[in-house]
Amino acid sequence: MTSTGQTTPTAARRKRIAPQPGWAGERFGAWLARPLASFHLIVTIATLLTVLGLVMVLSASSVEAYAGGGSAYSLFIQQAMFAGLGAVAFYIALRLPLRLLRQWSFPAFSVSVIALVLVLIPGIGAVHGGARRWFDIGPISIQPSEVVKVTLVVWGAHLLASRRGAHLKDILVPLVPAGLLVCLLVVLEPNLSTTIALGIVLMALLWFGGLPVRLFVGIMVSGLVVASVLALSAGYRSDRVRAFFNPGDDPQGANYQARQAKYSLADGGILGRGLGQSRAKWSYLPNSHNDFIFAIIGEELGFLGCMAVLALLAMFVYTGIRIALRSVDPFLRLLTATATTWITAQALINIGYVVGLLPVTGLQLPLVSAGGSSLAITLFMFGIIASAARHEPEAVSALKAGQDGRLSRLLRLPVPEVYTPAPRKPAPRAKTERPRQAPRRQADAPRGRRARESRGTSSLRSTRAWEPTYPMPHARERGRSK
């Protein structure tokens, strides 16, 4: 700069070349530091995956839907209807108070278990593809095994959060028997893929609930043994396992679907053939709109499209872990961590068997594969995770200060409750005062018995799973009760 205050050409050139402080990495880091970044990430990921799923379902199902004598848009319209229903469920989950969610967790789980029993009764449950899994209500089919995933996550998280520090028996009962009952009912449909998903939910609850590692490994090994036995017990399951270990055998039979999926992925290359230009969907790849929709994504959108899906899943894992670590409410920590594990594991299993790394199980790609019940229920679970993001301490402070942002103002979401830890009960007073007085000994006898009770037994009696009300130490609710 000259003495007159003007900038020389050399100085101006250096100023243009020097890196500016607002480059993309720093901007993204600054955006992540915002209080509601987790909430916006969850909403964005859910929206992008749902839109991608609708587009790919339309592309993958149009040929088979038209060949079946109907409209090329029939399956897409049904998927779009459930997407709208899922959007409503997402919004309801955002507005649902945590206290109400916890109070109704066990009744909702009980209703879902009853639905699993009713679907097995002939005349009530509908049979499609040799399995009795659905309730047909007009043009809509509802799969109760998809509903029970969410109810098990919410009730299990509430139960374990209520029994923090309890004995091992109080952690395992009644969660493990209830989870095994649900798995048994789903196996009877039969539906091994959903049974695997429920097993993942149960194991995630036990892991994040603080189950000892030795016992956790024992339960996991037992579960793998049972899953292996079930996989080899039925003809079509054993055929899938044999096809996985012998990929060159029976290319027109058991290995046909897996081979066609690999051909479809290879045909896409790096950039893909173009949206709507898949060859495999012309009756070459069965279930291309459902179980193997990732293969159609690879064929039409190429390697880059597959990486975009994986990037969204990786961002979801990061956001879910971020919410779980930032939450001060133990219930939200367990709920978010378990839901993130379940959705991510299901997606990885689906992608794994499409690319040939795992045996074909039939698990759907969350929010992307065709399936109305799965789409609506998964969106509801995303709504609960988004609600947990709004309950982060920094997010609560920002919302109370009026920094709610455009999205929250547009949705008119309520300000979340402030979580405060429940006050600890004082330790029982030692019986040193007047030990020889009979009235005092009689009055202290129940207190002595209570003092000798284990911490888990006391927790069990105060937070039974079947009771309709639970102590929720949120500031707003405590203020109302007063």
Side-chain angles (χ1 to χ4, degrees):
M1 182 174 293
T2 62
S3 58
T4 58
Q6 298 179 355
T7 305
T8 63
T10 304
R13 192 183 306 111
R14 290 177 180 175
K15 185 176 181 180
R16 288 194 301 267
I17 297 176
Q20 299 297 322
W23 63 291
E26 291 184 357
R27 289 184 179 181
F28 184 68
W31 184 83
L32 284 179
R34 294 182 178 181
L36 294 174
S38 301
F39 170 69
H40 292 136
L41 279 175
I42 288 295
V43 174
T44 303
I45 293 169
T47 303
L48 291 178
L49 287 177
T50 303
V51 172
L52 175 65
L54 289 174
V55 173
M56 297 312 302
V57 166
L58 174 60
S59 176
S61 65
S62 57
V63 174
E64 293 186 5
Y66 183 77
S71 170
Y73 302 95
S74 58
L75 288 176
F76 167 74
I77 292 175
Q78 183 178 1
Q79 187 77 355
M81 290 173 55
F82 275 99
L85 181 62
V88 175
F90 186 96
Y91 182 69
I92 292 175
L94 278 176
R95 297 188 61 89
L96 196 62
L98 292 183
R99 183 180 180 87
L100 188 62
L101 183 65
R102 297 186 67 172
Q103 285 180 353
W104 287 95
S105 60
F106 181 72
F109 176 73
S110 303
V111 171
S112 62
V113 173
I114 295 173
L116 287 178
V117 176
L118 293 178
V119 81
L120 297 175
I121 301 176
I124 299 179
V127 179
H128 299 285
R132 192 181 301 275
R133 308 175 186 173
W134 293 269
F135 290 123
D136 286 344
I137 305 175
I140 299 177
S141 296
I142 300 176
Q143 196 170 353
S145 57
E146 294 291 337
V147 180
V148 80
K149 294 179 187 177
V150 175
T151 59
L152 180 60
V153 170
V154 178
W155 174 65
H158 159 70
L159 186 67
L160 295 178
S162 302
R163 299 181 178 183
R164 287 179 298 156
H167 286 179
L168 182 61
K169 180 180 178 182
D170 298 333
I171 296 177
L172 297 178
V173 180
L175 179 60
V176 173
L180 294 179
L181 173 63
V182 167
C183 291
L184 176 62
L185 293 174
V186 175
V187 167
L188 295 177
E189 293 182 354
N191 191 352
L192 181 60
S193 59
T194 304
T195 305
I196 294 175
L198 290 170
I200 293 173
V201 169
L202 182 60
M203 297 305 296
L205 284 171
L206 294 177
W207 174 259
F208 294 113
L211 190 69
V213 177
R214 182 180 303 176
L215 186 58
F216 177 82
V217 172
I219 295 177
M220 185 174 62
V221 172
S222 302
L224 291 176
V225 171
V226 173
S228 302
V229 172
L230 291 175
L232 299 174
S233 60
Y236 73 96
R237 298 173 190 161
S238 58
D239 290 342
R240 289 177 176 178
V241 175
R242 285 196 298 268
F244 172 73
F245 288 105
N246 301 283
D249 297 343
D250 197 11
Q252 296 298 321
N255 273 310
Y256 177 77
Q257 195 174 20
R259 290 172 65 90
Q260 291 297 322
K262 295 177 184 177
Y263 292 154
S264 180
L265 288 170
D267 196 21
I270 300 297
L271 301 177
R273 296 181 54 84
L275 188 63
Q277 303 301 316
S278 170
R279 296 174 179 175
K281 68 182 180 182
W282 291 83
S283 301
Y284 290 105
L285 178 59
N287 292 325
S288 59
H289 61 285
N290 192 350
D291 299 342
F292 285 83
I293 198 169
F294 189 75
I296 305 299
I297 294 175
E299 185 180 6
E300 295 189 351
L301 304 181
F303 175 78
L304 296 181
C306 294
M307 291 305 298
V309 175
L310 293 176
L312 287 176
L313 292 175
M315 184 60 68
F316 170 69
V317 173
Y318 165 77
T319 308
I321 296 175
R322 169 190 169 108
I323 296 172
L325 292 176
R326 292 191 172 196
S327 298
V328 294
D329 190 343
F331 167 70
L332 291 180
R333 287 202 302 265
L334 282 167
L335 176 66
T336 307
T338 303
T340 303
T341 303
W342 152 46
I343 295 174
T344 306
Q346 181 170 327
L348 294 180
I349 291 174
N350 175 273
I351 296 173
Y353 70 69
V354 169
V355 301
L357 296 178
L358 295 173
V360 178
T361 59
L363 276 176
Q364 298 173 330
L365 187 59
L367 299 183
V368 180
S369 295
S373 299
S374 175
L375 176 60
I377 291 300
T378 307
L379 281 175
F380 179 75
M381 192 74 254
F382 267 83
I384 295 178
I385 298 175
S387 176
R390 299 182 78 247
H391 282 80
E392 293 179 2
E394 294 182 1
V396 174
S397 301
L399 291 173
K400 286 186 174 296
Q403 304 174 11
D404 46 358
R406 296 180 181 179
L407 183 59
S408 297
R409 289 194 297 268
L410 178 64
L411 298 177
R412 300 194 177 190
L413 299 177
V415 178
E417 304 167 358
V418 178
Y419 175 82
T420 54
R424 294 183 176 272
K425 295 182 179 180
R429 186 178 300 175
K431 297 187 296 182
T432 56
E433 301 177 0
R434 302 178 184 180
R436 297 184 180 274
Q437 294 183 6
R440 176 62 64 182
R441 286 197 302 268
Q442 292 177 0
D444 287 342
R447 184 186 302 174
R449 285 195 298 268
R450 287 195 298 269
R452 287 192 297 269
E453 289 179 351
S454 66
R455 184 179 179 182
T457 306
S458 175
S459 175
L460 176 63
R461 292 187 177 182
S462 61
T463 57
R464 290 191 179 100
W466 51 88
E467 291 182 354
T469 57
Y470 304 93
M472 282 292 295
H474 290 88
R476 178 178 297 182
E477 295 297 335
R478 291 178 62 187
R480 291 179 180 176
S481 62
K482 293 178 182 179

